[in-house]
Each structure stands twice: as structure tokens, then as C-alpha cells.
């Protein structure tokens, strides 16, 4: 079994693995931000600090042969689904050892064996792709599902409505999950969208829908499990709105000075890592010494990853042509 599949199996079987992977994602994002600030990485990036519960809920609930079409804020879902920190960081740093050979960068992660379709830099771009994958499963009579994850801003664009409409008509085995993190890029949802509860838009397509606490992995997993069962049994699509929050700005250059005073701190009090940690401690599966040990390990592992990846080779110039296809 390859390392990526092993990592995926870990989060499918163990609650402690959820917590460990959340710590890994948080430390990864912290160090990636520092590397960008130091000039060690070119371009831009979009961090998912605060949204780890949604990522881990998806990775730990879907089967290995299901597929996910995600957005450019993709480091968390990639790591959650099983990509190693080395393969993700190498991709971000443009190294040949990256998950896409170093030619995709921060916004284009993928791994076929994990069902992670290439993440999209286009707002809402994953929704029609997920619908297409679901249609293929339906035609082939496979008990597989596709999942599209997207932000709140994506619910205002055409592909959202077109995909939802088509999925509802054909009862496609697809799940739409919106990580409503309050802001579409730099704009708060109340100045761009006339409703606060975006899941209500599924009413227009006679589609089952609900909102969940996106900071609580247990609640997101419960909602997802029901949606997955419905999709596999031929019941069609579901729209889930996960109420969450990104602790960082939209991209690395964004200091998020537009946030109202106290808003960030309010959401940080329900940090998904803290929520998971408290649940595991209450269940007797974790204690303070183990927490300290796991946090220290996340820091140490990331230091090792950075040291290794910085020495990895750059892609050859012809790498940009390896995945271009033409039909004659």
C-alpha cells in the first residue's frame, strides 16, 4: 500500500488521526505562509486555517474510490485525503517531487489514487466537474459518489445553479458542500448575497439541504454520512452548508483589515482543533501530555519536510508538455 493510501486509511479509522492531521495542516499552513513571506516561494497562496474540520470530515467519511473536486484553497483537503506534506510543499515550491510534478503550484493539487481531482483556481469550477464524475458513476452503475467543495461566493455564479439544476433533474450521486467562511475574497457575505443561509438555495432545485457547524468535525461527518448514503442509494444530490471561518486573509497578501473588531477572536474560540481536542479529552482518548507531544511532533515533522523539499530538484523544462494531449 502506498503512503498516500495509508494516510487516507488512518483518518478513516481513527479519531486521534483526525486530530493529528488537523495539527499537521495547521502547522503546514503556518510554515507555508512564512516561506512565502521570506521569498522562498513565488506567486501566491490561500490558507485554510480554521477550516480543517470540513477537510477531515470529507476525507474520513468518503470511500477511497469516491472523488472530490475542490477549490484553490486546497492544501487542507489534499493533506486530509492523504497527500504527504512533502508532496504538497514540493508542488507549492515548484519541485519535481510535487504531487503534480511541480508544474501545478499551490492551487492545483491532485492525486488519482486518492480520488482528489485537480483542484481548480476558477471560482466554482469544481461543481460541474463533480457533476460530470457523478454522471459517469451513474451511467456505469457504480456505487460511487462525487463531492464538490466550494466557498460561499461560488453560490452567486452560473456554474453553481447550472450544476445544481442538472444534478437534481438527473438525481446524480453528487454532494455539494459549501464551506461558508463568511467572506468571498475580501467581501463579507452580507454585502454580496441577499440571504445568510445559503443552503436554502437548494429549495429551488427540490434538493435536500441543511446547514451544519463547520467547526465541529463530528457534526459535519454526520451530515455527510447521510448525504453519501442518499447518493449511493439513488436518492440524488444534497447541498450542505458548513458554517466556518478562515483565520487568515483571502490570500497571502491580505491582512484582512476589513474584519470587524472581535470577529476573528469569536471564531477562534471555536477553533476546530480545539473543538476536536476537547471532545477527545472528554472521551478519555487524549490528555494534556499527549496533546503537547502531538503538537511538538507536528512542528518537528514540518521542519524536516521543509529541509528535505528545499533540496529536491526542479522540474525539467519539458515537464510543462508532459500532460498535454491532442486528438488526431
Amino acid at each position: 500500500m502506498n503512503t498516500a493510501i495509508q494516510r487516507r486509511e488512518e483518518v478513516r479509522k481513527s479519531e486521534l488521526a483526525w486530530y493529528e492531521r488537523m495539527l499537521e495542516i495547521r502547522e503546514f499552513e503556518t510554515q507555508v505562509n512564512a516561506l512565502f513571506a521570506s521569498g522562498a516561494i513565488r506567486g501566491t497562496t490561500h490558507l485554510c486555517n480554521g477550516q480543517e474540520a470540513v477537510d477531515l470530515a470529507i476525507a474520513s467519511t468518503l470511500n477511497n474510490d469516491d472523488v472530490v473536486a475542490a477549490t484553490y484553497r486546497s492544501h487542507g483537503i489534499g493533506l486530509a485525503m492523504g497527500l504527504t506534506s512533502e508532496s504538497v510543499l514540493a508542488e507549492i515550491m515548484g519541485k519535481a517531487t510535487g504531487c503534480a510534478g511541480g508544474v501545478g503550484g499551490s492551487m492545483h493539487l491532485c492525486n488519482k489514487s486518492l480520488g482528489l481531482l485537480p483542484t481548480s483556481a476558477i471560482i466554482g469550477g469544481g461543481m460541474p466537474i463533480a457533476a460530470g464524475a457523478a454522471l459517469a458513476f451513474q451511467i456505469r452503475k457504480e456505487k460511487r459518489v462525487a463531492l464538490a467543495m466550494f466557498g460561499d461566493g461560488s453560490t452567486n455564479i452560473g456554474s453553481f445553479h447550472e450544476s445544481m439544476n442538472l444534478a437534481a433533474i438527473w438525481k446524480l450521486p453528487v454532494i455539494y458542500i459549501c464551506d461558508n467562511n463568511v467572506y468571498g475574497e475580501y467581501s463579507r457575505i452580507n454585502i454580496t448575497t441577499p440571504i445568510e443561509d445559503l443552503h436554502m438555495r437548494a429549495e429551488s432545485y427540490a434538493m435536500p439541504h441543511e446547514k451544519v457547524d463547520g467547526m465541529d468535525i463530528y457534526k459535519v461527518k454526520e451530515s455527510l454520512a447521510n448525504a453519501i448514503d442518499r447518493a449511493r442509494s439513488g436518492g440524488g444530490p444534497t447541498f450542505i452548508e458548513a458554517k466556518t471561518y478562515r483565520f487568515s486573509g483571502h490570500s497571502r497578501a491580505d491582512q484582512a483589515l476589513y474584519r470587524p473588531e472581535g470577529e476573528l477572536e469569536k471564531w477562534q474560540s471555536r477553533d476546530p482543533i480545539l473543538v476536536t481536542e476537547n471532545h477527545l479529552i472528554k472521551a478519555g482518548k487524549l490528555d494534556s501530555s499527549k496533546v503537547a507531544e502531538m503538537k511538538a511532533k507536528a512542528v518537528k515533522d514540518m521542519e524536516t519536510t521543509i529541509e528535505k523539499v528545499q533540496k529536491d530538484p526542479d522540474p525539467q523544462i519539458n515537464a510543462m508538455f508532459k500532460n498535454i494531449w491532442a486528438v488526431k
Side-chain angles (χ1 to χ4, degrees), residues 222-242:
E222 181 181 5
S223 179
L224 267 174
N226 292 333
I228 290 168
D229 287 345
R230 180 182 298 117
R232 288 202 207 284
S233 64
T238 302
F239 181 28
I240 299 169
E241 178 187 3

Side-chain angles (χ1 to χ4, degrees), residues 133-199:
L135 177 59
F137 301 155
Q138 185 184 74
I139 291 171
R140 296 197 298 250
K141 301 187 186 311
E142 297 173 344
K143 294 294 185 181
R144 300 167 65 187
V145 303
L147 182 145
M149 57 185 304
F150 49 92
D152 45 282
S154 297
T155 67
N156 291 331
I157 67 171
S159 63
F160 168 83
H161 299 282
E162 292 163 0
S163 300
M164 295 269 284
N165 188 68
L166 195 68
I169 291 170
W170 289 348
K171 289 192 175 297
L172 298 180
V174 60
I175 296 151
Y176 296 102
I177 181 162
C178 174
D179 50 350
N180 183 352
N181 61 22
V182 185
Y183 291 90
E185 295 192 351
Y186 317 102
S187 302
R188 205 172 194 283
I189 188 171
N190 61 293
I191 63 173
T192 64
T193 310
I195 59 173
E196 183 175 323
D197 291 330
L198 302 175
H199 68 100

Side-chain angles (χ1 to χ4, degrees), residues 34 37 121 221 223 279:
K221 277 181 66 67
S223 179
H279 190 284

